[in-house]
Amino acid sequence: MTDQTAPPGGGDQPQTPPTRRSLRRAATPPVTSITTRPPRRPPAETSARGRVIALRPVRSLAVLTVVTGLIATFALPAYAAWQPADLEIPTLQQVASEDAQSLIVASDATGTQLTRESYSATTQAEIDQKKAAEAAAERARASAQVASVPFDYSIVPQGSGAVRWPVGGPFTVTDRFGARGGAHMGTDMVAAGGTPVYASVDGVVRISQDSYGGYGVTVVVESVLNGQQVSTVYPHMQTGSRQVAAGQTVTAGQLVGLVGSTGRSTANHLHFEVYLDGTAVDSLAWLEANAG
């Protein structure tokens, strides 16, 4: 007995042989439609990127501000220092016109000649007296430049003994000790310019100057007489007439200079002063009491 197997699909239908197309279709799997989407970024990464994008305009604005500031820093001072060549300097009148305050300029001021008569506190008599005094002072200065009377310096001065008269020729006493309200500390012996001036007592020259303040050419001699310290002063002598120097020892009757009108003086004279133990005394009375 033969074992026979029935073909699939029944035995009553004939079988068609497979073709190449059918075989390819049977070998290719069916295509399923799939939609592909990009992977989603984590929320944190997306937020950081958003902040970076948002900060970009702010950063650009800050850089622009810095650059603008640098340009202003260097450009504005240079511009301010530059001035056009034809810029006019405003005058005083132009400056004043911008302000309502009152202003007097030099061109508006009128010149006024001031005279001595314009001083209401000075009388004409005082003015004339002052002019006369100035004229006399000028004449005295002129006469003091040259000795008006020649002298033989070898002559013996007036008087003898320990105290001598300081002027070696005729003289006239004008202002005495205590005159001018008590401010006059000596005796004015008016004599011709160039009259010899002698040391009154032995001593040592303490001062010998051509400009001793208001005294002008002056010599001061320090002495000791009868136990007292005596200082004798010889001012207003002629310039260049001093015959002694500071520290030099002199004797009574020795030539020390010539009568003149230097310093605060208005005429040729010797303003003779005497101090006993540092106190000023009447020099004329002292001479009359002690000179031989």
Side-chain angles (χ1 to χ4, degrees):
M1 178 180 195
T2 302
D3 188 6
Q4 295 181 355
T5 302
D12 54 355
Q13 293 181 0
Q15 296 183 356
T16 304
T19 64
R20 292 182 179 177
R21 181 177 298 177
S22 62
L23 292 176
R24 284 197 300 272
R25 290 178 178 177
T28 303
V31 178
T32 304
S33 176
I34 300 174
T35 303
T36 304
R37 295 181 179 179
R40 301 182 62 182
R41 298 179 181 274
E45 182 179 355
T46 303
S47 177
R49 180 178 181 86
R51 286 196 299 270
V52 171
I53 295 174
L55 289 176
R56 286 179 180 176
V58 177
R59 184 183 305 171
S60 301
L61 180 59
V63 172
L64 181 60
T65 303
V66 172
V67 172
T68 304
L70 292 175
I71 294 174
T73 301
F74 290 97
L76 290 181
Y79 176 78
W82 175 83
Q83 295 292 340
D86 57 348
L87 181 63
E88 294 184 358
I89 300 176
T91 63
L92 189 60
Q93 290 84 356
Q94 292 173 345
V95 174
S97 64
E98 298 177 1
D99 194 353
Q101 296 180 358
S102 176
L103 179 68
I104 298 177
V105 296
S107 59
D108 297 333
T110 58
T112 302
Q113 182 67 29
L114 298 179
T115 61
R116 293 189 176 184
E117 288 77 12
S118 64
Y119 294 103
S120 59
T122 303
T123 64
Q124 186 62 41
E126 291 174 341
I127 294 175
D128 295 339
Q129 183 179 2
K130 187 173 182 180
K131 288 182 177 179
E134 292 176 351
E138 185 62 28
R139 290 193 300 269
R141 293 190 188 95
S143 62
Q145 301 300 323
V146 180
S148 59
V149 179
F151 285 94
D152 181 5
Y153 297 148
S154 64
I155 65 174
V156 177
Q158 294 178 342
S160 61
V163 178
R164 311 287 180 92
W165 289 85
V167 179
F171 64 88
T172 301
V173 176
T174 54
D175 289 346
R176 295 192 56 166
F177 177 80
R180 304 174 191 174
H184 199 250
M185 295 291 102
T187 301
D188 285 347
M189 302 176 179
V190 178
T195 300
V197 177
Y198 300 107
S200 289
V201 289
D202 298 345
V204 177
V205 178
R206 181 169 64 89
I207 295 173
S208 180
Q209 295 183 9
D210 281 339
S211 181
Y212 189 58
Y215 284 15
V217 179
T218 304
V219 170
V220 178
V221 178
E222 297 287 349
S223 310
V224 176
L225 182 66
N226 299 327
Q228 281 187 314
Q229 183 178 356
V230 180
S231 299
T232 50
V233 184
Y234 312 84
H236 303 310
M237 294 189 296
Q238 281 188 3
T239 301
S241 68
R242 289 182 297 114
Q243 303 296 310
V244 294
Q248 180 179 341
T249 300
V250 296
T251 59
Q254 181 175 339
L255 180 69
V256 296
L258 302 176
V259 171
S261 183
T262 57
R264 190 175 300 172
S265 171
T266 58
N268 290 316
H269 72 288
L270 175 67
H271 174 79
F272 183 63
E273 294 182 1
V274 175
Y275 293 82
L276 300 180
D277 294 330
T279 302
V281 298
D282 187 339
S283 54
L284 183 59
W286 180 82
L287 285 170
E288 291 173 343
N290 297 279

